[in-house]
Amino acid sequence: MACFFAITTPAGIGIGTAIDSFYNPYSPAALVIEGILDSLSAGFLVYMALVDLIAADFLSKRMSCNFRLQVVSYFMLFLGAGLMASLAIWA
């Protein structure tokens, strides 16, 4: 994995430097591509948070034995997601 990151970082810098001379950030195609890449990265972030990080807490024995803790945990999860989504108003 370290070798993969060691190769992709310089490759990304090289590609970015190569397209910098003819890239127009305000063209419709560039805005569509930027939107697609932003949505992909947000999707990866949500997947990693929900599947890898939060799932371990929600599937624990302590959580499954306490109904009140489940309700409070789900409420706080959705409240936090809603508050983070409301930040999009200023983004």
Side-chain angles (χ1 to χ4, degrees), residues 2-35:
C3 292
F4 176 72
F5 285 119
I7 293 169
T8 56
T9 300
I13 292 170
I15 292 169
T17 303
I19 67 169
D20 184 48
S21 62
F22 60 88
Y23 177 73
N24 179 8
Y26 302 108
S27 70
L31 294 175
V32 169
I33 291 171
E34 183 178 345

Side-chain angles (χ1 to χ4, degrees), residues 16-82:
T17 303
I19 67 169
D20 184 48
S21 62
F22 60 88
Y23 177 73
N24 179 8
Y26 302 108
S27 70
L31 294 175
V32 169
I33 291 171
E34 183 178 345
I36 290 171
L37 292 176
D38 285 346
S39 64
L40 284 172
S41 63
F44 289 140
L45 179 65
V46 168
Y47 175 81
M48 291 300 292
L50 292 177
V51 173
D52 288 340
L53 301 174
I54 296 175
D57 294 329
F58 279 77
L59 296 175
S60 69
K61 184 157 181 73
R62 179 179 177 209
M63 181 74 79
S64 63
C65 294
N66 191 342
F67 181 72
R68 183 174 180 270
L69 182 61
Q70 286 179 1
V71 171
V72 170
S73 297
Y74 279 110
F75 176 75
M76 291 299 175
L77 175 69
F78 291 127
L79 177 66

